[in-house]
Amino acid sequence: MTAALTGSHGEQLLRDGTEIDLPGLEDALTGDPLFRAVSPEGLLVLTVAGAQLPARMLEQVYRFRLVQYLQRGWVDAAVVAARGLRTEPYDEFALRDFHTLVVERSTGLLRGYGTLAAARDHSPTPLGDLGHRPFVIERDYALSLADHLGPQTSSALVWEGKRLVRDYAMPRSQAAVTVPWWVYLAWAAGCLKVLDSDPNAAVVGDGKLEGAINQLRLLGFAARTLLDTTPVPPDPADLYAPMWDQEERSYPFILTDEGALRPTLEYLRELLGSGQQGSVRTRLVDFLEART
């Protein structure tokens, strides 16, 4: 972390963020969620568009995002304090994005999160058009998705995955073991909807080769990693500059579906719903190997 979390602002923010809850979440939703499940451990798992959440709950979601990154040292605490941030900055595009939420039914506490972000173009725009507003990975790696997905591909067909996390402060339990898998499952259900919409659709993002990218392949995604890219050096004053100060670097990826995604997600949902203990990863590896 680039600055110690000392001082009243940082201390209060972390205290407030240890128990971020969304009481009455289901009753407060507008319309049906894209994904819904209840786990044997009592977790409510939803994927919803930001516009389906009341404004107060969307604000809590972005408070959770900021606190989780603070706890991991992935945002600059000094910048947070200087700007007096109480939530991660967000705008009207958060209403378009899909948010995956894993909540304890008994307490309402938010325990896991992921997002699938829509393009920031105000209307569908070809990726090769000068008016296209770059995705985060285009900005962070100085790359053009038009070179990889085609200049005429509409930005509306491309979504960006990010922020897949479990609550840093969640006590050890069987529920804590399953939270990341429920996040991946519910988030990937959103990806499947995107990829089913058009043959040219894709999900993009970045991650570590032995971390998120390997995990995504286990879920059944066809993952193309752009290994010949180098991240743009961050501005030291950037809120997210500490994310780039890690031993293992991240790489951009492009996710598509070559037929393994749907059956793998169906298997994972059945597995998580069974309440069986043991390694989910091992079972996924065995499942994928059996299919090939």
Side-chain angles (χ1 to χ4, degrees):
M1 194 176 299
T2 58
L5 279 174
T6 58
S8 59
H9 182 81
E11 292 171 356
Q12 185 65 46
L13 185 59
L14 288 185
R15 279 197 301 271
D16 292 348
T18 56
E19 293 193 346
I20 291 176
D21 60 355
L22 300 173
L25 172 59
E26 276 201 284
D27 291 338
L29 289 180
T30 302
D32 296 328
L34 185 149
F35 179 96
R36 180 191 183 276
V38 176
S39 83
E41 302 84 16
L43 301 169
L44 172 65
V45 186
L46 300 171
T47 295
V48 297
Q52 294 180 261
L53 294 168
R56 70 183 187 282
M57 289 192 175
L58 190 61
E59 181 176 351
Q60 284 288 80
V61 165
Y62 279 86
R63 183 184 297 273
F64 181 84
R65 287 169 50 135
L66 179 62
V67 170
Q68 292 303 307
Y69 270 37
L70 269 173
Q71 290 172 322
R72 289 165 171 81
W74 294 346
V75 293
D76 192 318
V79 175
V80 171
R83 294 171 60 180
L85 296 177
R86 304 294 299 173
T87 70
E88 185 177 3
Y90 65 101
D91 56 24
E92 71 275 10
F93 288 103
L95 300 175
R96 295 189 195 178
D97 298 344
F98 285 114
H99 303 272
T100 292
L101 310 169
V102 180
V103 176
E104 289 181 355
R105 297 188 86 190
S106 61
T107 64
L109 291 174
L110 183 55
R111 293 303 197 183
Y113 177 78
T115 188
L116 194 58
R120 270 36 189 170
D121 296 326
H122 288 282
S123 60
T125 305
L127 293 175
D129 193 294
L130 290 176
H132 163 58
R133 298 178 67 181
F135 287 91
V136 173
I137 67 161
E138 291 184 293
R139 181 198 68 201
D140 287 351
Y141 293 89
L143 63 85
S144 171
L145 286 173
D147 295 337
H148 302 276
L149 298 174
Q152 294 307 311
T153 298
S154 171
S155 62
L157 297 177
V158 183
W159 291 66
E160 191 161 22
K162 57 184 71 176
R163 301 289 195 278
L164 280 71
V165 296
R166 175 179 60 196
D167 179 10
Y168 192 80
M170 188 175 185
R172 294 182 64 179
S173 64
Q174 182 58 27
V177 170
T178 63
V179 164
W181 292 108
W182 280 111
V183 170
Y184 269 116
L185 173 61
W187 174 83
C191 295
L192 186 60
K193 179 180 176 64
V194 168
L195 297 176
D196 279 351
S197 69
D198 190 279
N200 294 315
V203 175
V204 301
D206 68 342
K208 297 178 176 62
L209 294 176
E210 297 304 318
I213 294 174
N214 182 51
Q215 201 93 322
L216 292 167
R217 290 191 172 112
L218 280 179
L219 293 175
F221 286 102
R224 176 156 51 113
T225 309
L226 308 181
L227 297 174
D228 58 347
T229 58
T230 302
V232 176
D235 183 335
D238 187 341
L239 177 63
Y240 305 101
M243 290 190 67
W244 302 99
D245 186 21
Q246 300 183 51
E247 289 185 12
E248 185 183 355
R249 61 158 295 192
S250 294
Y251 294 88
F253 58 72
I254 297 172
L255 303 179
T256 52
D257 179 20
E258 295 182 359
L261 184 56
R262 186 180 301 275
T264 307
L265 296 183
E266 290 174 352
Y267 173 76
L268 179 58
R269 182 164 189 167
E270 180 181 343
L271 177 60
L272 292 174
S274 72
Q276 295 181 47
Q277 298 191 18
S279 172
V280 175
R281 177 183 294 275
T282 298
R283 290 188 174 96
L284 279 178
V285 169
D286 291 344
F287 176 79
L288 289 171
E289 287 180 350
R291 280 183 51 83
T292 57

